[in-house]
């Protein structure tokens, strides 16, 4: 089955700790994205990558970092510099053949202890 | 600035028709998307409009007027499972500029009552 997977489903972070959220896709999509969703707000773009070994900051990149060493994988690290990390994190990839539509993974809910 | 407006919440009756409106003000336009998001889950793609007019897909239809900066999602024969948040998103740049990023509205929470 082709799709986008994210793990873990729930993640708990302690003060001062870095945590990494996984995103994997086997759809052969070039472009991948990370969004953050907070209650009552629209999705906001954190980072995106159009191709392997290249990524760009989105609108709210401070306190986050990413890597794109493989086409299939785009992990997001939430660093201790991110002061308000509690949110629902969504990874997406873009399909060239369907209006360049973005499709989302199941999400990771990050909570601060 | 970039702005997308949708009603915060709507209520409708099972079997009825509901129209969810979306107005946008963006510096450019390269497509409008509607997503459905059930509570605690990821958004799932519903429709895509880039030209003016109506796109129909089963019980769901989406309309676009670029000159008015306006779209709507029409849901027919409402079912209880249609209770969800509906997200309007605009791609305001060419796909290879800024990753073809989407600007999202805050979503419309639809409650379908028996």
């Amino acid at each position: 089955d082709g799709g986008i997977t994210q793990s873990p489903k729930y993640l708990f972070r302690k003060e001062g700790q870095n945590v990494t959220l996984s995103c994997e896709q086997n759809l052969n999509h070039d472009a991948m994205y990370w969004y953050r969703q907070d209650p009552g707000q629209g999705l906001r773009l954190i980072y995106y990558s159009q191709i392997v070994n290249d990524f760009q900051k989105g609108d709210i990149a401070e306190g986050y970092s990413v890597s794109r060493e493989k086409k299939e994988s785009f992990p997001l690290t939430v660093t201790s510099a991110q002061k308000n990390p509690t949110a629902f994190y969504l990874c997406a990839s873009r399909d060239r053949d369907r209006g360049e539509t973005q499709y989302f993974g199941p999400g990771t809910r990050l909570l601060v202890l | 600035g970039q702005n997308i407006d949708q009603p915060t919440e709507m209520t409708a009756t099972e079997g009825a028709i509901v129209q969810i409106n979306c107005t946008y003000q963006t510096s450019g336009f390269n497509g409008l998307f509607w997503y459905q998001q059930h509570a605690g889950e990821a958004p799932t793609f519903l429709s895509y409009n880039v030209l003016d007019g109506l796109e129909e897909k089963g019980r769901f239809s989406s309309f676009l007027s670029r000159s008015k900066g306006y779209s709507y999602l029409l849901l027919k024969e409402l079912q209880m499972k249609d209770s969800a948040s509906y997200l309007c998103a605009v791609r305001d740049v060419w796909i290879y500029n800024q990753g073809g990023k989407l600007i999202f509205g805050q979503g419309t929470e639809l409650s379908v009552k028996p």
Side-chain angles (χ1 to χ4, degrees):
Chain A
D1 278 338
I4 305 170
T5 57
Q6 291 185 243
S7 62
K9 188 171 183 179
Y10 295 96
L11 186 59
F12 298 92
R13 192 190 93 164
K14 295 179 181 177
E15 292 287 337
Q17 186 182 41
N18 292 355
V19 292
T20 297
L21 285 61
S22 167
C23 178
E24 304 277 332
Q25 54 98 359
N26 60 4
L27 301 167
N28 200 35
H29 291 170
D30 288 315
M32 298 184 73
Y33 305 79
W34 274 105
Y35 291 90
R36 169 181 172 139
Q37 187 174 36
D38 294 279
Q41 295 193 39
L43 277 69
R44 292 181 292 167
L45 182 65
I46 305 172
Y47 267 97
Y48 65 93
S49 168
Q50 303 236 61
I51 199 167
V52 175
N53 292 323
D54 183 68
F55 50 83
Q56 304 294 331
K57 292 181 180 179
D59 298 318
I60 54 164
E62 185 174 350
Y64 300 97
S65 66
V66 294
S67 62
R68 186 86 187 277
E69 298 174 0
K70 298 187 301 182
K71 188 175 187 177
E72 301 81 16
S73 180
F74 191 40
L76 173 75
T77 297
V78 183
T79 74
S80 56
Q82 173 47 245
K83 297 307 177 190
N84 186 22
T86 296
F88 190 38
Y89 289 87
L90 290 158
C91 177
S93 66
R94 193 178 80 219
D95 186 344
R96 278 191 194 173
D97 296 330
R98 300 182 81 177
E100 305 280 359
T101 297
Q102 292 183 26
Y103 295 91
F104 289 88
T108 293
R109 196 165 295 278
L110 177 61
L111 300 165
V112 177
L113 294 175
Chain B
Q2 316 278 50
N3 194 47
I4 298 182
D5 284 318
Q6 313 177 228
T8 303
E9 47 188 32
M10 299 181 71
T11 302
T13 304
E14 192 175 14
I17 299 173
V18 71
Q19 178 175 310
I20 302 174
N21 295 325
C22 171
T23 57
Y24 63 89
Q25 291 176 308
T26 56
S27 54
F29 181 83
N30 194 246
L32 186 142
F33 299 80
W34 284 96
Y35 289 86
Q36 179 190 60
Q37 186 177 25
H38 285 101
E41 298 182 9
T44 56
F45 169 70
L46 290 177
S47 70
Y48 165 66
N49 295 72
V50 67
L51 299 175
D52 291 349
L54 190 68
E55 294 281 341
E56 296 186 81
K57 197 188 287 186
R59 292 191 300 115
F60 292 15
S61 303
S62 57
F63 172 83
L64 174 68
S65 168
R66 288 171 297 170
S67 62
K68 295 181 179 177
Y70 168 69
S71 172
Y72 67 72
L73 181 69
L74 194 71
L75 290 74
K76 303 175 186 174
E77 301 168 15
L78 279 173
Q79 302 174 11
M80 299 299 290
K81 68 178 182 180
D82 297 330
S83 292
S85 185
Y86 290 85
L87 312 180
C88 174
V90 172
R91 186 167 59 217
D92 70 331
V93 292
W94 181 57
I95 197 64
Y96 292 107
N97 181 10
Q98 298 181 53
K101 75 170 192 176
L102 297 179
I103 303 166
F104 284 83
Q106 63 184 38
T108 298
E109 192 69 39
L110 174 66
S111 297
V112 180
K113 308 290 187 187

